[in-house]
């Protein structure tokens, strides 16, 4: 279902492609990164719930997930840890269940990984109660919040935010998109420690900027 290919050029390639041609998802990552197709599903957001074995099989049949790891050795057990020293995450394509497709909205995309709207409200309340302390040590910071509009009606959001955890600050770069008919979810999520993001933010931005969606007939009819 997926094609993973290196970029052509003189000498060693500087990047490689992670692609799902059947659903029209394309991503370019540095050659030094590792990646692996996961058995799925990635239980985040709309999937973050207790599911029966039957439902799990249904979700697996509707989802493609590739784990991304800037480490030399791929480690599927630590793809989304807050204190990661190097960027980690996943790229995902999922055909929404009919009931989800009927109810999903663009605004819902904001909360598919972290409940961003609730976190923003909680931080604002904390600032109201303790203006100095809450600003000095925020529990949540929304660094970027932008709408995305692409060709063929693809639309969604791109968010960058920081979350305070017991292990320290984690920075999450999240792109969540829907096709024109809002039946297919395309998502790219990368995360690591705030220090890691400061060091590798340009590289992460290049990966995020390469995330290209070209919806196919399969996606439109799913």
């Amino acid at each position: 279902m997926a094609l993973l290919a290196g970029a052509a050029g003189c000498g060693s390639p500087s990047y490689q492609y992670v692609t799902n041609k059947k659903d029209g998802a394309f991503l370019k990552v540095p050659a030094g990164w590792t990646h692996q197709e996961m058995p799925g599903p990635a239980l985040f957001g709309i999937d973050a719930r207790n599911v029966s074995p039957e439902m799990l099989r249904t979700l697996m049949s509707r989802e493609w997930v590739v784990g991304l790891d800037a480490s030399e050795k791929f480690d599927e057990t630590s793809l989304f840890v807050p204190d990661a020293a190097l960027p980690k995450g996943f790229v995902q394509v999922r055909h929404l269940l009919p009931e989800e497709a009927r109810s999903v909205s663009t605004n819902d995309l904001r909360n598919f990984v972290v409940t961003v709207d609730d976190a923003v409200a909680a931080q604002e309340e904390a600032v109201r109660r303790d203006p100095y302390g809450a600003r000095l040590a925020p529990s949540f910071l929304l660094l970027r919040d932008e709408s995305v509009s692409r060709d063929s009606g693809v639309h969604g959001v791109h968010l960058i935010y920081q979350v305070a955890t017991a292990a320290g600050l984690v920075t999450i770069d999240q792109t969540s998109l829907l096709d024109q008919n809002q039946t297919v979810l395309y998502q790219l999520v990368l995360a690591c420690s705030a220090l890691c993001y400061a060091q590798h933010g340009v590289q992460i931005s290049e990966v995020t900027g390469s995330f290209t969606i070209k919806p196919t007939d399969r996606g439109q009819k799913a």
Side-chain angles (χ1 to χ4, degrees):
M1 188 172 186
L3 172 66
L4 307 180
C10 298
S12 300
S14 59
Y15 59 86
Q16 55 192 316
Y17 284 105
V18 179
T19 71
N20 180 336
K21 291 187 175 180
K22 287 187 177 180
D23 289 311
F26 304 86
L27 180 69
K28 189 168 68 174
V29 301
W33 288 28
T34 54
H35 47 68
Q36 180 175 304
E37 190 162 347
M38 309 295 289
L43 295 176
F44 289 95
I46 51 178
D47 290 333
R49 57 194 174 200
N50 294 322
V51 296
S52 66
E54 293 76 15
M55 177 61 72
L56 186 62
R57 285 192 292 270
T58 297
L59 293 175
M60 289 176 67
S61 71
R62 303 175 70 89
E63 184 169 35
W64 169 84
V65 183
V66 169
L68 306 171
D69 193 337
S71 302
E72 294 182 359
K73 184 177 180 181
F74 185 85
D75 183 1
E76 65 180 22
T77 65
S78 62
L79 285 178
F80 206 69
V81 294
D83 57 344
L86 291 172
K88 300 175 184 291
F90 64 91
V91 58
Q92 168 191 34
V93 177
R94 194 160 90 66
H95 294 259
L96 301 180
L97 297 170
E99 58 270 25
E100 293 168 335
R102 286 192 294 267
S103 62
V104 70
S105 70
T106 303
N107 192 60
D108 292 332
L109 298 176
R110 294 165 53 82
N111 304 308
F112 273 3
V113 177
V114 171
T115 52
V116 169
D117 291 335
D118 289 346
V120 168
Q123 176 62 23
E124 290 176 349
E125 176 62 18
V127 170
R128 187 186 69 80
R129 293 176 177 271
D130 181 8
Y132 179 77
R135 288 189 174 94
L136 185 63
S139 59
F140 182 88
L141 282 177
L142 184 57
L143 304 177
R144 179 170 298 181
D145 182 358
E146 55 190 3
S147 297
V148 176
S149 181
R150 303 271 181 85
D151 293 339
S152 303
V154 173
H155 59 284
V157 296
H158 174 227
L159 307 171
I160 302 176
Y161 46 90
Q162 288 186 333
V163 181
T165 73
L169 279 177
V170 55
T171 302
I172 300 174
D173 193 313
Q174 170 192 340
T175 303
S176 300
L177 306 172
L178 293 168
D179 66 327
Q180 184 174 23
N181 296 330
Q182 301 200 160
T183 59
V184 184
L185 169 67
Y186 302 86
Q187 191 158 228
L188 170 63
V189 179
L190 294 169
C192 62
S193 70
L195 175 60
C196 158
Y197 197 91
Q199 295 170 331
H200 299 279
V202 172
Q203 189 178 56
I204 292 172
S205 179
E206 291 174 350
V207 174
T208 300
S210 76
F211 190 32
T212 303
I213 308 300
K214 298 180 179 179
T216 62
D217 290 341
R218 178 180 183 273
Q220 298 296 316
K221 295 176 181 178

